[in-house]
């Protein structure tokens, strides 16, 4: 795969191979560092990186995404809860924060204010992933000027027809223009912002990847390809992810909009929700008995019956919630029937 300028073209599967040089890939080098830095114990130190679900609303219905099956009520995070998570995790040592989790962060009308709050608190690296279809130039100016460090556009088709087939919306041209606008805006204003594009590939879309590279290769820092996978076991018709071990329970803290600390952001029904931080301190939740138990299952490779097992071990036993009280009521009723 080629582009006209020195844009990095990378494959996520290669990130998990020791035989490939990842040093040029922003995403690859960051992910490799996360994997290598994980202290694989039941009580690891509080992580440097956290991810907060600002909203679970999305304007697209991507064919590979488990969002289309979600039963949780759709809403935004409470501002006071958000600010508490930001302050408390910063005090515990976190310095990087992602403001999204499986949905579309631009549906949150206060995203620029949340970015600014994280920056004012002291967070050094603030990032989002977006389909990029909702924002106009003013929206993108606001989130960049607020202090965003990194933005990745998810563009999962290399032409208008393929994009519409995958995303369920005819937004291809608008998204390409938004990418080009951001590229110009950061250059004209000398703004340090990493700008990337990811492409989730499937057999019927892979042939359009190079066309996407040709369209935006001059405008972005990296174009990242990765094969559609089983969405943490929630899309069993798709392949397993390209890794067998997961670092997330050990060195990344995820928070749902309800205020639950979770093992993984890619969990649409809170099956991997561990504790309600409205009831206990975040530091206590990170080392709670439930969190220690799921880490021990990872260490012992006994993940059958967990969503983690469905994800990285192809386990067929239905996933049990880590804390049933934190699952949506309608999901609990369905699973009991």
């Amino acid at each position: 795969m080629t582009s006209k300028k020195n844009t990095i073209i990378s494959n996520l599967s290669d990130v998990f191979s020791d035989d490939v040089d990842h040093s040029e890939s922003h995403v690859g080098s960051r992910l490799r560092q996360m994997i290598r830095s994980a202290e694989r114990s039941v009580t690891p130190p509080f992580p440097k990186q956290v991810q907060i679900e600002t909203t679970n609303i999305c304007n697209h219905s991507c064919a590979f995404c488990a969002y289309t099956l979600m039963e949780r009520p759709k809403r935004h995070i409470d501002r006071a809860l958000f600010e508490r998570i930001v302050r408390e995790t910063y005090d515990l040592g976190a310095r990087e924060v992602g403001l999204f989790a499986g949905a579309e962060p631009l549906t949150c009308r206060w995203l620029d204010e949340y970015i600014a709050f994280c920056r004012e608190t002291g967070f050094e690296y603030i990032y989002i992933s977006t389909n990029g279809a909702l924002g106009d130039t003013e929206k993108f100016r606001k989130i960049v000027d607020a202090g965003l460090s990194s933005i990745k556009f998810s563009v999962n088709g290399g032409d208008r027809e393929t994009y519409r087939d995958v995303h369920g919306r005819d937004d291809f041209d608008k998204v390409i223009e938004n990418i080009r606008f951001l590229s110009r805006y950061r250059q004209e204003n000398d703004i340090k912002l990493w700008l990337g594009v990811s492409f989730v590939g499937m057999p019927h879309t892979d042939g359009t990847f190079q066309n996407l590279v040709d369209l935006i290769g001059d405008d972005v820092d990296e174009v990242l390809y990765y094969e559609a996978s089983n969405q943490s076991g929630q899309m069993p018709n798709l392949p397993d992810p390209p890794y067998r071990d997961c670092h997330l329970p050990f060195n990344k803290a995820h928070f749902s909009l309800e205020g639950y600390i979770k093992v993984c952001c890619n969990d649409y029904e809170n099956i991997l929700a561990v504790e309600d931080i409205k009831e206990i301190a975040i530091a206590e939740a990170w080392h709670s008995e439930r969190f220690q138990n799921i880490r021990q299952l990872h260490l012992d490779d006994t993940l059958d019956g967990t969503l983690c097992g469905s994800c990285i071990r192809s386990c067929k036993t239905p996933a049990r919630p880590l804390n049933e009280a934190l699952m949506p009521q309608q999901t609990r009723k369905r699973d009991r029937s």
Side-chain angles (χ1 to χ4, degrees), residues 65-256:
C65 185
Y67 175 84
T68 57
L69 307 175
M70 185 181 72
E71 297 182 349
R72 288 165 64 211
K74 298 175 182 179
R75 60 185 180 88
H76 305 296
I77 195 170
D78 174 75
R79 183 184 291 263
L81 174 62
F82 173 82
E83 292 180 353
R84 181 209 152 187
I85 294 171
V86 170
R87 285 193 299 263
E88 200 166 325
T89 56
Y90 182 83
D91 289 343
L92 289 170
R95 292 297 181 267
E96 300 184 358
V97 59
L99 300 182
F100 67 101
E104 176 46 56
L106 293 182
T107 63
C108 178
R109 297 193 300 274
W110 313 279
L111 183 61
D112 59 311
E113 298 173 19
Y114 288 172
I115 292 168
F117 183 80
C118 291
R119 185 64 72 183
E120 292 162 4
T121 301
F123 274 88
E124 300 163 3
Y125 189 84
I126 305 163
Y127 63 99
I128 64 169
S129 178
T130 174
N131 61 49
L134 285 179
D136 55 16
T137 56
E138 182 60 23
K139 178 76 169 181
F140 283 111
R141 281 194 188 98
K142 283 184 175 181
I143 62 174
V144 171
D145 293 348
L148 192 66
S149 310
S150 167
I151 182 169
K152 179 179 69 63
F153 285 76
S154 180
V155 185
N156 305 299
D159 57 53
R160 184 176 175 183
E161 181 179 356
T162 305
Y163 181 96
R164 183 173 59 242
D165 179 58
V166 175
H167 286 254
R169 295 289 296 270
D170 187 14
D171 290 328
F172 182 76
D173 293 338
K174 180 180 181 182
V175 171
I176 296 300
E177 181 49 43
N178 283 338
I179 293 169
R180 289 172 174 164
F181 164 75
L182 260 188
S183 180
R184 294 191 303 270
Y185 185 67
R186 65 172 180 167
Q187 183 176 4
E188 292 166 358
N189 294 277
D190 195 25
I191 296 171
K192 186 178 180 182
L193 172 74
W194 184 84
L195 174 58
V197 168
S198 64
F199 179 105
V200 178
M202 294 178 284
H204 68 288
T205 67
D206 283 346
T208 69
F209 178 68
Q210 183 59 49
N211 188 60
L212 180 64
V213 173
D214 293 340
L215 278 173
I216 47 82
D218 281 351
D219 302 299
V220 301
D221 300 310
E222 184 171 358
V223 183
L224 176 69
Y225 172 90
Y226 52 98
E227 182 183 25
S229 63
N230 65 25
Q231 288 269 293
S232 297
Q234 297 160 111
M235 299 291 277
N237 58 308
L238 295 174
D240 291 346
Y243 49 86
R244 291 276 297 172
D245 294 310
C246 183
H247 66 91
L248 295 177
F250 304 96
N251 68 346
K252 190 173 182 181
H254 302 88
F255 297 92
S256 77

Side-chain angles (χ1 to χ4, degrees), residues 71 269 327-336:
E71 297 182 349
E269 301 296 358
M327 288 186 66
Q329 185 176 9
Q330 61 268 38
T331 305
R332 297 203 301 269
K333 289 180 179 177
R334 182 201 65 202
D335 290 345
R336 288 169 180 162

